[in-house]
Amino acid sequence: AQSVTQPDIHITVSEGASLELRCNYSYGATPYLFWYVQSPGQGLQLLLKYFSGDTLVQGIKGFEAEFKRSQSSFNLRKPSVHWSDAAEYFCAVGAREYGNKLVFGAGTILRVKS
Amino acid sequence: EAEVAQSPRYKITEKSQAVAFWCDPISGHATLYWYRQILGQGPELLVQFQDESVVDDSQLPKDRFSAERLKGVDSTLKIQPAELGDSAMYLCASSSTRDNPYEQYFGPGTRLTVT
């Protein structure tokens, strides 16, 4: 069965510090990988996506993520966090073989302290 | 910039009542998805439409939930009767089969509270 694991429920970082959010997946097909961000009471905004090619992908708001097939991971990073980055972050996996249905992780809540 | 529209944004209903949510996808997007997001969890797919046809409703509780997309454009998700455990955020998303079929665009969601 397809599954996505985000091992950290909460993460707190200081403003200006670097950030890494972890995502591991288990999937029976070549995956497409996504990171979404959700502010309280809002829908999901796509930060970045990986379909194929270069395993380091750049997204909006200064975020990047690296696909590591050998580790089944797609970790999200940002070199310097801003207070406005406080939100909940979701990793998601899809595949054409599964009708492009997305399977989401449980999310990581990011808190930024000044 | 085109967006997915949902209404209402918030709904409070008593258990055993009927409730309906509406979604208007981005123009031209043939694929429409309804997700349910329980507090503290990631979204879970309830139903997926391709045009007016259901392609995946394996996680839809069909005894009380129904979804339709009659003309292949906007969609309605209904719950009847609502139960306390249905309290959640209901998210609609759409994607294009032409431009980038694997990228889903989400609406703002409908927050349902069942009392």
Side-chain angles (χ1 to χ4, degrees), chain A residues 3 5-6 9 52 57 63 70 75 79 91 93:
Chain A
S3 67
T5 301
Q6 293 181 246
I9 299 174
S52 63
V57 294
F63 286 92
S70 61
N75 294 348
C91 180
V93 181

Side-chain angles (χ1 to χ4, degrees), chain A residues 32 34 36 38 41-46 49 51 88 90 95-96 98-107, chain B residues 9-10 33 35 37 40-43 45 48 56 58-59 89 91 100-104 106-109 111:
Chain A
Y32 304 121
F34 306 84
Y36 285 87
Q38 186 178 37
Q42 302 298 313
L44 279 72
Q45 181 183 23
L46 181 66
K49 58 188 181 284
F51 294 151
E88 189 162 17
F90 293 93
R96 181 165 49 187
Y98 297 112
N100 302 327
K101 164 185 173 178
L102 289 182
V103 176
F104 284 84
Chain B
R9 291 292 309 277
Y10 305 93
Y33 311 81
Y35 290 86
Q37 184 181 18
Q41 299 181 20
L45 181 70
Q48 176 181 345
D56 187 345
S58 57
Q59 300 302 310
M89 174 79 90
L91 295 163
N100 195 339
Y102 315 114
E103 186 168 334
Q104 297 182 22
F106 283 80
R111 169 72 66 187

Side-chain angles (χ1 to χ4, degrees), chain B residues 9-87:
Chain B
R9 291 292 309 277
Y10 305 93
K11 180 70 177 179
I12 300 174
T13 191
E14 295 181 348
K15 62 181 181 179
S16 79
Q17 295 298 305
V19 64
F21 315 129
W22 177 79
C23 172
D24 191 13
I26 293 173
S27 178
H29 280 194
T31 310
L32 185 146
Y33 311 81
W34 283 103
Y35 290 86
R36 177 172 60 185
Q37 184 181 18
I38 296 171
L39 191 63
Q41 299 181 20
E44 177 188 32
L45 181 70
L46 290 175
V47 61
Q48 176 181 345
F49 288 92
Q50 182 67 32
D51 298 310
E52 66 275 8
S53 301
V54 173
V55 297
D56 187 345
D57 63 356
S58 57
Q59 300 302 310
L60 187 71
K62 299 181 186 64
D63 57 334
R64 297 185 300 108
F65 286 65
S66 64
E68 61 182 17
R69 193 184 184 200
L70 293 176
K71 296 183 179 179
V73 182
D74 59 338
S75 175
T76 301
L77 178 69
K78 298 179 182 177
I79 308 174
Q80 182 173 17
E83 295 181 353
L84 295 178
D86 296 330
S87 295

